[in-house]
Amino acid sequence: MAARNVAMREAIRRALREEMHRDENVFVMGEEVAYWQGTHRVTRGFLEEFGERRVRDTPISEMAIGGAAVGAAMAGLRPVAEFMTINFAFLALDAIANHAAKVRYFFDGMFKVPLVYRAASGWGNQATASHSHAPEPIFAHFPGLYVGCPSNSLDAYGMLKASIRDDNPVLFTESIALYPKPSPMPEDLDEDYLIPIGKGDIKREGSDVTLVAYARGVDWALQAARQLARDGVEAEVLDLRWLRPLDMELVYKSFKKTNRCVIVEESLPMYSFGGEVAANLQENMFDYMDAPIKRVAAEDVPLPYSKDIELLALPNAQKVVDAVKEIL
Amino acid sequence: MVYFPTDMESKTAVVDEGKVMASPSKEMLLDWYRQMVLIREFEETCHQLYEEKRITGVYLHLYSGHEASGVGSMAALRKTDHVITAYRDHGIALILGMDPKAVMAEMMGKKTGSSGGKGGSMHLASKDHNFWGGYAIVGGHLPLAAGIALEARYRDKDDVTMTYVGDGATNNGYFHESLNMSAIWDLPVIWIIENNGYGMGTEVERASGQIELHRKAEAYGIKSFGRVDAQNALDVYAVAAKAVEYARTNGPAVIEHVTYRYRGHGVSDKQYDARDDMSTELKEWMKTREPIKILRDCIESKYGDVGDILAKHRDDAQRIVAESVAFAEASALPSSYEDLLGNTYVASELVYKTDYSIGAGID
């Protein structure tokens, strides 16, 4: 199948635009999504194409954005609400965690909440501490909500489409560092290309060690795998894609083969994706474990401004390689 | 200091007869009485059941004293309109016509409860009645109201969303953000501030820089319909009718209902026992501003002796509530893992027809 490299930003934009054409109930709301053309240019051209009714600039009111999306979804619309960055979603944590995630449950199934919160996420670019996070695991804490975190353009396309079409609330994060990154998408891609919610993916096959990652962590894991291959170590790279539901079955299958695991994530190390995956592994795969499970995450510190120490705080491929070598 | 506002605008807030809506008919007034005595009976029974530990838990916020606020204002709605409120939600549910049996069963956490025992006192709702629920986080339901009203605007319907919000919530960010959003999007919401003098245990004047709460509307360019004596259902109705008609075609409206809670903030509230001024104040309200008595006096002064009908409504209320208690107590508690885990998510109906794995192609 012929493929073309597409930046993740464009893949997301295309998925969203197609879904708005497909379903009149889908609309976008958020800060600067309309006249400004989207802070990250994901909604570029949407205002002209769909008009003010369906492309709604909001005030800087994250609590209202978070909650109005819940009400609109309960009433039958399918809002795609954008948080300019996930940092600002903290202001809406009550609406997300207490209402989007729980309304269906505490009314015992009376309402559906088919919404998507999109949020740009990630560390770096000297954005400094309060704008530089990958805190998506916080949101994965809450049953009732799904959390999707794509690592590449095609996944982003299929995952966002599934998120919009699914009847449950989804927090969908988009790594800022991956927005401009091109990756292959088939030229004759089906508009119904959906990636199942909760299904991870094997991004590279190998038999010596399992690298478990999501979003930007997949990049570091793949770079590390290439580096390790030069030393004759074949790493299997798993992209779990979703933090909730978490595709542990995929991890178990790989781990039974490799018996070793390093978890790679952009997020902070405590109460984290890495901790969750490792806990599940030791509970369920104890007999297959040949070495301690290692975690590579951001350093346990807020992110500083100055370039060199900022980079020091971030995970990278070398840190992954070093972790693998410790357990081989 | 006794909380008893004397500067209410109720006397000036009269409906333009014939222009907006006719005066409530005799039938309407009698039905309001029916609703109010049902609520009072239901709430006082809940209080009693809680004392007897037949209703358990830590949250039970009763609508006793507030009856005219909900009854008078919702009388201005039509069936396709929407209603949402916070946790003092039993009265709202009953006014909308929810089955008292299902409501009482929810109080007791039973499977037959309106939320299957998962929500409890603070999470009543009924899709069939366009009742979008009671919510437990102060102010948390306000942006939901904006979203529900957005659906009406989005689909070009003129249904309104009547939203009840306590005085305490007018100080939190949800209130500010939601009212502002409703203003810029012309959302058909009637924001009814039920000012009962206290946000939990804190007096309005100790919590809000602006103590005429309806005036907060001005900050957002929203039309205020003023402050209403919400112990008088007729005054409430007159103002609500105007606000509802305004909201249908124009956008948001604010009304401040001055009312009082007879059973404190909730069952954990011991201030009325501990503070003489508060218990004096409560007695004063019950003596002089009792909403059911005010309505009854009004009906009798207009229509003479309707004692038989009123007595029948009171008897019916007792019977209905007694039946609801019997029903609830006879119902089963949810107890299985299936009961526990159900309805966390909607089962997916998506069809995945493509190969979702891009495998090694990315590397």
Side-chain angles (χ1 to χ4, degrees):
Chain A
M1 199 190 313
R4 187 170 67 87
N5 276 330
V6 177
M8 194 173 86
R9 173 198 330 279
E10 288 306 317
I12 294 168
R13 179 173 174 274
R14 179 172 156 191
L16 189 50
R17 181 173 170 269
E18 287 173 3
E19 290 305 295
M20 288 182 71
H21 277 295
R22 188 185 59 81
D23 184 350
E24 167 81 12
N25 291 323
V26 178
F27 71 100
V28 299
M29 58 187 276
E31 294 157 10
E32 311 296 357
V33 296
Y35 284 89
W36 187 277
Q37 307 287 317
T39 311
H40 303 286
R41 295 296 182 265
V42 170
T43 54
R44 179 175 49 83
F46 277 33
L47 176 65
E48 292 71 18
E49 188 164 3
F50 298 104
E52 280 185 330
R53 185 176 73 109
R54 298 183 65 197
V55 185
R56 309 184 74 94
D57 273 334
T58 64
I60 302 172
S61 299
E62 285 79 9
M63 296 169 82
I65 295 167
V70 176
M74 289 169 74
L77 299 179
R78 303 187 87 84
V80 179
E82 177 175 318
F83 294 112
M84 189 183 289
T85 81
I86 198 164
N87 313 286
F88 312 149
F90 289 163
L91 286 157
L93 190 56
D94 174 65
I96 298 169
N98 267 329
H99 294 120
K102 294 180 189 167
V103 155
R104 180 169 181 77
Y105 187 80
F106 63 52
F107 295 128
D108 200 24
M110 203 179 299
F111 304 105
K112 292 176 181 173
V113 189
L115 65 78
V116 179
Y117 295 120
R118 292 182 41 247
S121 179
W123 295 87
N125 293 326
Q126 293 187 279
T128 71
S130 59
H131 279 66
S132 222
H133 288 276
E136 44 274 357
I138 291 173
F139 298 89
H141 187 64
F142 304 103
L145 189 69
Y146 291 143
V147 178
C149 312
S151 69
N152 65 85
S153 299
L154 184 58
D155 279 3
Y157 177 89
M159 288 169 68
L160 181 57
K161 288 206 160 201
S163 300
I164 292 171
R165 295 188 194 187
D166 192 86
D167 281 335
N168 293 289
V170 180
L171 179 88
F172 190 82
T173 69
E174 300 163 8
S175 296
I176 293 172
L178 298 178
Y179 270 139
K181 190 177 181 240
S183 57
M185 285 179 74
E187 287 192 346
D188 58 344
L189 189 60
D190 185 343
E191 285 199 14
D192 293 325
Y193 180 89
L194 308 177
I195 288 176
I197 290 172
K199 279 280 182 198
D201 185 28
I202 303 167
K203 289 291 193 281
R204 183 186 195 279
E205 290 187 341
S207 54
D208 297 327
V209 62
T210 300
L211 305 182
V212 181
Y214 74 90
R216 200 178 168 193
V218 176
D219 266 8
W220 292 315
L222 287 170
Q223 286 170 35
R226 286 192 288 270
Q227 210 171 311
L228 288 162
R230 291 198 283 272
D231 298 332
V233 176
E234 291 302 327
E236 182 144 295
V237 177
L238 307 184
D239 175 1
L240 295 202
R241 288 174 168 155
W242 308 89
L243 300 190
R244 183 186 272 272
L246 189 64
D247 191 357
M248 283 307 299
E249 291 307 317
L250 187 73
V251 182
Y252 298 152
K253 205 172 148 199
S254 176
F255 192 72
K256 283 180 182 172
K257 181 171 66 176
T258 64
N259 313 111
R260 287 175 169 76
C261 181
V262 174
I263 303 151
V264 187
E265 63 179 315
E266 193 178 2
S267 315
L268 289 165
M270 289 192 71
Y271 312 100
S272 63
F273 170 73
E276 186 64 32
V277 172
N280 276 285
L281 272 176
Q282 66 83 18
E283 272 177 4
N284 296 294
M285 292 286 121
F286 192 72
D287 292 343
Y288 294 91
M289 203 178 290
D290 284 352
I293 293 161
K294 301 291 287 184
R295 294 181 289 158
V296 176
E299 298 297 331
D300 195 21
V301 66
L303 210 68
Y305 170 69
S306 190
K307 195 82 196 146
D308 286 354
I309 51 173
E310 181 192 44
L311 285 174
L312 215 51
L314 287 168
N316 57 40
Q318 190 57 49
K319 289 183 184 180
V320 179
V321 170
D322 293 346
V324 169
K325 288 188 171 167
E326 282 182 48
I327 57 166
L328 280 178
Chain B
M1 186 185 61
V2 170
Y3 164 68
F4 197 83
T6 53
D7 59 341
M8 288 180 294
E9 295 173 11
S10 61
K11 289 176 185 62
T12 59
V14 286
V15 65
D16 297 336
E17 301 269 351
K19 190 176 173 191
V20 176
M21 200 175 284
S23 294
S25 64
K26 183 180 175 184
E27 287 66 35
M28 280 174 80
L29 294 180
L30 289 171
D31 194 55
W32 293 358
Y33 185 86
R34 179 191 64 76
Q35 294 175 32
M36 286 165 69
V37 293
L38 175 63
I39 294 170
R40 182 67 58 86
E41 178 69 20
F42 190 93
E43 295 296 63
E44 293 307 306
T45 301
C46 282
H47 179 78
Q48 185 65 32
L49 293 169
Y50 190 84
E51 294 291 309
E52 295 166 5
K53 296 187 168 38
R54 291 156 74 192
I55 291 175
T56 52
V58 289
Y59 295 116
L60 191 70
H61 312 87
L62 302 177
Y63 208 62
S64 297
H66 275 239
E67 291 90 346
S69 169
V71 169
S73 53
M74 271 189 269
L77 298 179
R78 60 188 191 201
K79 281 219 177 313
T80 52
D81 291 328
H82 308 283
V83 177
I84 188 167
T85 188
Y87 41 79
R88 202 178 296 281
D89 59 349
H90 314 170
I92 305 293
L94 295 174
I95 294 165
L96 283 167
M98 277 180 73
D99 181 355
K101 290 189 171 100
V103 178
M104 187 59 83
E106 192 59 34
M107 301 298 150
M108 297 189 188
K110 299 297 180 81
K111 279 179 97 154
T112 53
S114 52
S115 296
K118 282 175 171 159
S121 160
M122 302 191 289
H123 294 309
L124 304 172
S126 172
K127 207 172 185 178
D128 295 340
H129 297 88
N130 279 355
F131 178 35
W132 298 86
Y135 292 83
I137 298 292
V138 172
H141 64 299
L142 302 181
L144 273 62
I148 291 161
L150 172 61
E151 188 267 347
R153 271 282 174 271
Y154 192 88
R155 294 188 169 143
D156 214 15
K157 298 183 286 193
D158 67 350
D159 301 326
V160 301
T161 301
M162 190 161 272
T163 306
Y164 296 88
V165 46
D167 48 84
T170 69
N171 302 313
N172 95 3
Y174 271 130
F175 181 83
H176 163 75
E177 294 194 7
S178 304
L179 265 72
N180 186 56
M181 182 176 270
S182 77
I184 60 163
W185 287 354
D186 301 323
L187 299 177
V189 185
I190 299 100
W191 304 104
I192 294 186
I193 302 167
E194 290 191 294
N195 178 359
N196 61 22
Y198 299 89
M200 208 168 161
T202 305
E203 294 87 341
V204 167
E205 48 270 44
R206 287 202 296 127
S208 181
Q210 171 56 270
I211 59 168
E212 288 180 65
L213 301 180
H214 69 96
R215 293 192 61 196
K216 294 187 179 188
E218 292 168 21
Y220 313 109
I222 293 178
K223 184 169 172 62
S224 165
F225 286 78
R227 180 180 259 194
V228 182
D229 172 5
Q231 303 311 86
N232 184 330
L234 281 95
D235 281 359
V236 170
Y237 172 72
V239 178
K242 285 202 286 190
V244 166
E245 289 314 304
Y246 173 85
R248 281 200 204 290
T249 45
N250 296 285
V254 165
I255 311 172
E256 180 181 349
H257 283 184
V258 176
T259 185
Y260 203 77
R261 53 188 204 196
Y262 284 3
R263 290 291 181 186
H265 169 68
V267 286
S268 59
D269 186 347
K270 303 295 177 210
Q271 295 213 61
Y272 288 83
D273 303 330
R275 284 176 54 177
D276 287 344
D277 59 336
M278 285 184 76
S279 73
T280 306
E281 178 183 281
L282 172 61
K283 284 185 195 123
E284 184 70 15
W285 275 82
M286 294 177 83
K287 199 171 100 194
T288 63
R289 308 298 308 148
E290 161 53 37
I292 299 176
K293 182 174 184 301
I294 289 171
L295 179 64
R296 181 185 178 144
D297 290 350
C298 167
I299 295 172
E300 287 179 340
S301 74
K302 270 187 158 175
Y303 302 109
D305 184 16
V306 287
D308 288 354
I309 302 172
L310 302 187
K312 181 178 181 306
H313 285 327
R314 289 194 297 274
D315 291 347
D316 285 349
Q318 280 188 6
R319 177 181 50 77
I320 289 166
V321 173
E323 285 170 4
S324 76
V325 174
F327 171 83
E329 293 202 312
S331 296
L333 287 163
S335 55
S336 68
Y337 268 99
E338 196 185 353
D339 293 333
L340 170 68
L341 300 174
N343 284 322
T344 309
Y345 290 96
V346 186
S348 181
E349 290 170 2
L350 295 184
V351 177
Y352 299 108
K353 61 183 185 183
T354 44
D355 176 12
Y356 57 81
S357 173
I358 61 171
I362 185 71
D363 188 17

